[in-house]
Amino acid sequence: MLQLQAIREDKEQVIAALAKRNIDALPLLDKVLQLDEERRATQARLDSTLAESNKLSKEIGILYKSGKAQEANALKERTGNLKEESKTLQEALTATAQELQNILYQIPNVPHFSVPAGSSEEDNEEIFKEGEVPDLVENALPHWELAKKYDIIDFELGVKIAGAGFPVYKGKGAKLQRALISYFLDKNTEAGYSEIQVPHLVNESSGFGTGQLPDKEGQMYHIGADDLYLIPTAEVPVTNIFRDEIVSESDLPYRFTAYTPCFRREAGSYGAHVRGLNRLHQFDKVELVRVEHPDKSYEALDGMVEHVKGILRELKLPYRILRLCGGDLGFTSALTYDFEVFSTAQDRWLEISSVSNFETFQSNRLKLRFRDESGKMQLAHTLNGSSLALPRVLAGILENYQTENGIEIPEVLRPYTGFDRID
């Protein structure tokens, strides 16, 4: 959520930045400022009314003690009117504050200055590419056919049990999946992240805290009887650890890694591009979450990018990094880098990680603050990144490592799998 102070002080700059998202923010910002003025004026009247009421109450007490009951009773009538007035003002203040909050929830984060303008993923900016695309055997297969050939993932069985988008991993496929999770967690903890296990369900406040609600409500699975949501990413429960917290500046940064299953409805997704592991309703992911001092968050973002690079180098998968344009940028993000692995059998790039800096957007919703050296309260910066999302990494391994004699296992994973080939 954008800070009101930033809108008051830099309205034109906020409008220009949000234009990169192809948003005309002027009407919304004007409404925000109007409601903010109403809120502050109502608050001032309420404070004045309460102050006068308190003053009169003290005077009434003194008059009664002095035996001046007639004068005291006259003032009591006035205090009664003031109480009614303060009740009306409080109701108006609550309604205005709620309307203001609802509009602020509709406004996405201001893009970082380096975010390119653009309307779709076609306008994203490739900033890095590494790795050799392998020459595959003739008649190389896409991963969904390899999964069937070697009986390691059963998509049809998943449909029987739950529906499309819920695969069943079998035998060496299940063990490879577990190996990737352990490998990613080990790499992250070696880099200084603390491993944490979190709930896979969150309440509404958590969804609002990290910005999934109300923006992505239609993409989340909701358990109506308990008013809980299945998590779309570990980012939500991990970041909400810090909701309504004042942390010590000396304890920054906080760095966590977590493995969780993730659940996304992916409403409206269809077509060849969602076959197999390309788009799922349930998938596994290892996540990185950081809480940083505002002065150091972009240095931290660069470090996260280098960390993910290192993992992909060890897996020896061809990949590239995109800086997302304004039109493709997530609602809560100020700057996002997408990692994509090249699927040789599909002849296309597959997104496997997003690494983002949210600056104060999430922490303003979360009320995540720290007190600086001068004693002033500040909002922290939050960041997160996939390290990594498993389905498309697994798809890339199956397709890029296929041979005439089976699927080779990347060398770095063999200590985790206990085998070096799927055949």
Side-chain angles (χ1 to χ4, degrees), residues 388-409:
L388 291 160
L390 273 78
R392 294 174 184 175
V393 172
L394 186 58
I397 289 172
L398 296 180
E399 293 182 6
N400 288 308
Y401 277 85
Q402 64 180 298
T403 70
E404 292 179 347
N405 301 314
I407 301 165
E408 300 288 338
I409 300 298

Side-chain angles (χ1 to χ4, degrees), residues 36 243 392 409 421:
D36 184 43
R243 177 157 42 93
R392 294 174 184 175
I409 300 298
R421 179 190 301 272

Side-chain angles (χ1 to χ4, degrees), residues 124-161:
N124 292 337
E125 189 175 89
E126 184 181 295
I127 61 170
F128 188 81
K129 185 187 287 186
E130 187 173 63
E132 294 295 324
V133 174
D135 292 322
L136 297 185
V137 295
E138 190 176 352
N139 300 319
L141 300 174
H143 69 268
W144 55 86
E145 293 187 24
L146 291 167
K148 187 172 185 178
K149 177 180 178 180
Y150 295 108
D151 194 27
I152 54 174
I153 308 172
D154 195 323
F155 295 101
E156 289 74 18
L157 187 56
V159 171
K160 174 184 176 181
I161 296 169

Side-chain angles (χ1 to χ4, degrees), residues 28 82 98 100 126 184 187 250 256 281 295 306 328 339 348 382:
L28 280 175
L82 288 173
Q98 186 60 57
L100 174 59
E126 184 181 295
F184 292 155
K187 290 296 295 183
S250 61
F256 289 113
H281 294 306
D295 294 343
E306 290 302 316
D328 200 31
F339 283 75
R348 59 190 291 257
T382 61

Side-chain angles (χ1 to χ4, degrees), residues 216-251:
K216 293 182 175 64
E217 187 166 7
Q219 295 295 331
M220 296 175 72
Y221 286 99
H222 182 225
I223 301 172
D226 301 297
D227 197 20
L228 295 172
Y229 293 84
L230 287 167
I231 60 170
T233 166
E235 167 203 343
V236 182
V238 175
T239 311
N240 270 279
I241 290 170
F242 296 96
R243 177 157 42 93
D244 298 321
E245 294 290 329
I246 300 173
V247 301
S248 172
E249 183 178 17
S250 61
D251 288 336

Side-chain angles (χ1 to χ4, degrees), residues 7 90 318:
I7 296 174
Q90 183 61 63

Side-chain angles (χ1 to χ4, degrees), residues 26 55 85 121 123 126 128 130 168 225 246 258 262 290 312 318 324 328 351 411:
L26 178 59
K55 179 183 176 185
E85 185 179 347
E121 62 183 24
D123 301 311
E126 184 181 295
F128 188 81
E130 187 173 63
V168 175
I246 300 173
C262 303
R290 297 179 71 126
L312 291 170
L324 298 195
D328 200 31
E351 181 195 332
E411 188 174 346

